[in-house]
Amino acid sequence: MTTHFSPVTKDQLAEIMLVENACHSHPWSEQTMLSCIGGRYFGFMLKQEQSILGFYIGEYVAGEATLMDVCVSPDHQGKGYGKQLLIHFTEQAKSLGATQLFLEVRAKNISALMMYINWGFVEVGRRTGYYPSNIGYEDAIVMKKKL
Ligand SMILES: CC(C)(COP(=O)(O)OP(=O)(O)OC[C@H]1O[C@@H](n2cnc3c(N)ncnc32)[C@H](O)[C@@H]1OP(=O)(O)O)[C@@H](O)C(=O)NCCC(=O)NCCS
């Protein structure tokens, strides 16, 4: 079945939140998600017919784009969709004028870390105990990719 990208708009908030809640141990609230749709934010969903396989939310400010959120529905992980979303984010960021990409990732999120490293992101910083986790707090790794 073919897949396609379509922009995230406020109309898809409920569907997006289903994927968000299924993917993250500490998901964004609906309010946070809503505040990251439109304005300086850009987001796309990867869809197969009408169902959402995954989505990302990026932010563009003054030549820098930040990947704020990316997730693939648990049923569809490990099939290359995360990488497709990352490539799409990179292309959109470039078209907006970005020369650098940034993101933050949980230190123990090995699949995401590997995906970013394989796409050319490098660690540029660490925020100790930044994320709440099921066992206390977890470091955030700050990563950057030059375009
Ligand atoms: C991170 C996430 C988006 C990856 O999406 P995915 O569709 O499963 O990833 P892909 O199948 O496209 O794989 C892309 C790359 O990720 C890495 N990867 C994916 N799963 C992996 C695993 N279990 N172990 C190690 N590396 C893995 C690999 O480098 C892979 O590239 P390769 O297949 O060429 O080796 C997905 O696991 C997810 O939604 N996780 C929950 C939400 C999340 O953690 N988001 C990131 C927040 S920073």
Side-chain angles (χ1 to χ4, degrees):
M1 266 188 275
T2 56
T3 57
H4 64 279
F5 283 94
S6 75
V8 170
T9 69
K10 292 178 180 171
D11 293 341
Q12 286 94 34
L13 182 64
E15 290 169 274
I16 292 286
M17 284 308 297
L18 286 178
V19 181
E20 171 74 9
N21 287 326
C23 284
H24 291 288
S25 57
H26 295 73
W28 283 5
S29 67
E30 204 170 282
Q31 205 176 5
T32 300
M33 187 66 77
L34 193 58
S35 72
C36 293
I37 300 175
R40 65 182 190 271
Y41 298 99
F42 58 100
F44 281 82
M45 303 172 280
L46 180 59
K47 295 179 88 174
Q48 193 167 55
E49 296 187 338
Q50 288 315 305
S51 61
I52 300 176
L53 302 172
F55 72 91
Y56 72 82
I57 303 285
E59 180 189 32
Y60 174 77
V61 180
E64 293 180 357
T66 303
L67 183 63
M68 305 294 294
D69 192 5
V70 58
C71 46
V72 172
S73 170
D75 290 350
H76 297 288
Q77 289 178 8
K79 299 177 185 171
Y81 297 133
K83 191 162 179 189
Q84 282 188 44
L85 286 161
L86 193 55
I87 292 171
H88 196 275
F89 161 73
T90 304
E91 292 308 318
Q92 287 297 310
K94 263 189 206 168
S95 72
L96 290 168
T99 55
Q100 304 193 88
L101 305 179
F102 288 91
L103 61 82
E104 281 175 13
V105 57
R106 286 174 183 269
K108 292 189 182 133
N109 191 346
I110 303 303
S111 1
L113 259 173
M114 290 311 295
M115 180 170 80
Y116 301 142
I117 289 168
N118 289 342
W119 189 237
F121 277 88
V122 292
E123 179 173 339
V124 291
R126 220 168 240 260
R127 294 171 199 229
T128 309
Y130 183 74
Y131 290 115
S133 82
N134 296 332
I135 48 155
Y137 288 91
E138 194 178 335
D139 291 356
I141 296 181
V142 184
M143 304 188 90
K144 172 179 164 177
K145 175 181 163 80
K146 279 192 185 168
L147 295 177

